[in-house]
Amino acid sequence: PAALHAEVPMEGVAPPFDPFQTVGRVVRAYGVDWVVVTLAAGETRDPLGLWEGADATDVDGRRPDFLPEVPAFEAPGVRVYRVQPES
């Protein structure tokens, strides 16, 4: 979030390095609308494992139900997902 804030004046939340269920609770608690996932040069997986959106799986075998399958925006090294409404 700090790196993005320098580019766009929007607030951000740093997600915890926890299973997706916990990340989802943070997303809901802070009213997050967008999740920005970036890859470092030469990497194929981001630190939280959210690059694949709803198709990702965490260490517990769960999927991030707060993300859609397809990003709203994608460019080399970045994907932006709109958070799914809570069901």
Side-chain angles (χ1 to χ4, degrees):
L4 287 176
H5 186 69
E7 300 297 324
V8 279
M10 299 176 73
E11 295 178 359
V13 175
F17 287 91
D18 287 307
F20 294 155
Q21 185 176 16
T22 302
V23 176
R25 285 197 299 262
V26 170
V27 163
R28 302 292 183 211
Y30 285 91
V32 172
D33 294 318
W34 298 93
V35 173
V36 178
V37 183
T38 58
L39 290 180
E43 296 294 324
T44 58
R45 188 172 194 280
D46 64 289
L48 291 176
L50 294 171
W51 185 253
E52 298 300 324
D55 290 332
T57 54
D58 66 12
V59 296
D60 295 331
R62 293 191 175 128
R63 299 197 182 276
D65 62 358
F66 54 92
L67 294 183
E69 292 179 11
V70 178
F73 173 81
E74 182 173 7
V78 64
R79 287 183 177 171
V80 180
Y81 293 94
R82 182 160 182 80
V83 172
Q84 298 281 75
E86 196 165 9
S87 53

